[in-house]
Amino acid sequence: VELVESGGGSVQPGGSLKLSCAAFGFTASIYYMSWYRQTLGKEPELVARVSTDGTDYADSVKGRFTAAIDWAKYTIDLQMDNLQSEDTAMYYCYLESIQSYWGQGTQVTVSS
C-alpha cells in the first residue's frame, strides 16, 4: 500500500491550493483518513480527519479548509482557501484501517 500526495506548492497569502492523496494497492475498509501538517522542530498537527461519522478540523483551519473522501476510489482531498503564512508546512496524508499508513508528504509554502 502506498499513499501518494500531490498538489502542494507555493502561493501568496489569501490564495488557494488543493491537495490530493490516493491510496494505491489498498482494498480494505477505511476507518478514517486524515491530513496532518508539520513544520521543522514541531510535532505533527492534525488538520482534518474524515470518517463515516463526519469531518473534524483543527480550529486554525475551520472555515478555510475542506476535506473530502471518495470512499470508492480511496482518495482524500484537502481544499485550502485563504491560505496564510502560518499554514506553511509539510502536509501528510494518513489512512487508518486494520493497519495505518502515511504518505511521503507534500510541501505547502505561503509567502508574499
Side-chain angles (χ1 to χ4, degrees), residues 16-77:
S16 297
L17 283 174
K18 184 177 181 179
L19 305 183
S20 296
C21 172
F24 292 97
F26 186 81
T27 58
S29 296
I30 297 174
Y31 298 166
Y32 58 86
M33 293 186 77
S34 305
W35 285 99
Y36 284 80
R37 65 187 181 187
Q38 187 175 27
T39 55
L40 196 62
K42 293 188 176 181
E43 293 292 318
E45 174 191 20
L46 178 63
V47 175
R49 176 183 295 172
V50 184
S51 71
T52 54
D53 293 330
T55 304
D56 296 310
Y57 297 96
D59 288 341
S60 58
V61 307
K62 282 181 181 177
R64 301 187 298 121
F65 289 13
T66 303
I69 284 181
D70 186 324
W71 298 97
K73 295 183 178 179
Y74 301 107
T75 62
I76 182 171
D77 293 335

Side-chain angles (χ1 to χ4, degrees), residues 6 10 12-13 22 26 30 40 87 93:
S6 61
S10 296
Q12 293 186 340
F26 186 81
I30 297 174
L40 196 62
D87 296 317
C93 174

